[in-house]
Amino acid sequence: MLLVVALGGNALLRRGEPLTAERQRRNVRAAAAALAPLAREHHLVISHGNGPQVGLLALQGAAWHPEESYPLDILDAETEGMIGYLIEQEIGNMLPGRRCATLLTQVEVDPRDPAFSHPAKPIGPLYPEAEARRLARERGWRIAPDGCGWRRVVASPRPLRILELPVIELLVEQGVIVVCAGGGGIPVVRRADGSLVGVESVIDKDRASGLLARELKADAFLMLTDVDAVYRGWGTAAAEPIRRATPASLRRLEFDPGSMGPKVEAACEFVARTGAVAGIGTLDGAAAILAGEAGTQVTAD
């Protein structure tokens, strides 16, 4: 059985935690422990978020030489390598002798995607509103509220093609645990002559992971985050978890476009196109979500 598992940024770095290497390693170690039982029984492809990390790298670059700051596509590549290294090492420690590889993954997007005109993807740390507005003025950022604070927002175009897909398929066939499409992958566009170039944006990890799962013809697609299920009426006194649903039933409901919305959209599209199973829930419940005993399971009927 082939599983594609997307680790949410909040599963690797919880809200309010410091962006330190040791904290991230500790969280990745917990993620590896949760994924090890799945990896023992199934082929496993892992993707992950990178919002806090790519935002931190952007801040560090701006603090050093603002006029020489690296664009987001390069920062996306850096975070893919950094987080992939931690996941690969901790998975290897949990499963001695099992091969694991991190693959930097280019994802093609449309240069005419309307997302470039309407940035909405939050990256980096949370700020108090006054500080966020000051940074926006000084650095030309777009900002938006996110939970109890404010964050920088950037363009998040829809993924069209995963360019390293044939390599991922070869690795999976050889029994390798693959870490790829981290942070939604490295966004690239195709020039008129067919060549590729990176573009300033961050692709939504859930949408890219859903595309990856569909193109790999995965048997199941899990999105693991810090919320135990998809909720009907989230944020209200009447909130209740949705334990099992079809794409049609979920599409009749509304979800926050900045958090659960992309996960529900990715799950629905995966199930509708493949007939396979998608699941959403917490990292420590990964095996139970797959078995339909926890989280939210999305099925064709």
Side-chain angles (χ1 to χ4, degrees), residues 131-153:
E131 185 177 359
R133 292 193 181 281
R134 177 183 62 79
L135 289 168
R137 287 193 303 270
E138 292 176 356
R139 299 179 180 177
W141 289 357
R142 300 277 189 95
I143 58 171
D146 184 17
C148 60
W150 288 65
R151 294 173 76 187
R152 179 188 178 188
V153 291

Side-chain angles (χ1 to χ4, degrees), residues 56-171:
L56 178 63
L57 287 180
L59 279 173
Q60 290 172 338
W64 179 242
H65 284 302
E67 70 282 359
E68 299 175 8
S69 296
Y70 286 141
L72 285 173
D73 59 304
I74 293 180
L75 299 184
D76 286 330
E78 289 186 17
T79 56
E80 266 202 278
M82 175 182 72
I83 299 170
Y85 155 69
L86 294 174
I87 295 173
E88 183 178 333
Q89 190 170 79
E90 294 302 331
I91 286 279
N93 290 338
M94 293 282 173
L95 301 171
R98 185 71 186 275
R99 294 173 296 172
C100 184
T102 298
L103 183 66
L104 296 187
T105 314
Q106 298 176 92
V107 177
E108 187 177 349
V109 301
D110 185 344
R112 297 174 297 278
D113 192 303
F116 288 110
S117 302
H118 303 283
K121 174 71 174 174
I123 66 170
L126 285 167
Y127 298 100
E129 183 177 357
E131 185 177 359
R133 292 193 181 281
R134 177 183 62 79
L135 289 168
R137 287 193 303 270
E138 292 176 356
R139 299 179 180 177
W141 289 357
R142 300 277 189 95
I143 58 171
D146 184 17
C148 60
W150 288 65
R151 294 173 76 187
R152 179 188 178 188
V153 291
V154 299
S156 182
R158 182 174 291 275
L160 300 178
R161 276 173 289 280
I162 294 170
L163 301 184
E164 277 73 26
L165 185 71
V167 182
I168 298 168
E169 291 173 329
L170 284 173
L171 291 170

Side-chain angles (χ1 to χ4, degrees), residues 105-262:
T105 314
Q106 298 176 92
V107 177
E108 187 177 349
V109 301
D110 185 344
R112 297 174 297 278
D113 192 303
F116 288 110
S117 302
H118 303 283
K121 174 71 174 174
I123 66 170
L126 285 167
Y127 298 100
E129 183 177 357
E131 185 177 359
R133 292 193 181 281
R134 177 183 62 79
L135 289 168
R137 287 193 303 270
E138 292 176 356
R139 299 179 180 177
W141 289 357
R142 300 277 189 95
I143 58 171
D146 184 17
C148 60
W150 288 65
R151 294 173 76 187
R152 179 188 178 188
V153 291
V154 299
S156 182
R158 182 174 291 275
L160 300 178
R161 276 173 289 280
I162 294 170
L163 301 184
E164 277 73 26
L165 185 71
V167 182
I168 298 168
E169 291 173 329
L170 284 173
L171 291 170
V172 170
E173 287 171 6
Q174 295 301 313
V176 178
I177 298 170
V178 185
V179 184
C180 62
I186 304 162
V188 299
V189 296
R190 198 169 294 277
R191 297 186 181 104
D193 64 359
S195 62
L196 298 168
V197 64
V199 65
E200 181 85 348
S201 63
V202 174
I203 300 169
D204 182 84
K205 171 264 307 172
D206 296 313
R207 287 179 174 145
S209 300
L211 175 62
L212 175 68
R214 295 196 308 271
E215 295 198 347
L216 286 174
K217 299 178 176 60
D219 298 290
F221 171 39
L222 303 182
M223 286 169 280
L224 306 179
T225 181
D226 58 352
V227 179
D228 66 333
V230 178
Y231 276 74
R232 181 183 289 105
W234 175 258
T236 71
E240 60 174 335
I242 301 169
R243 294 303 179 190
R244 192 177 180 91
T246 63
S249 65
L250 286 176
R251 283 169 170 159
R252 288 194 291 267
L253 304 175
E254 291 188 9
F255 300 97
D256 184 350
S259 57
M260 192 56 71

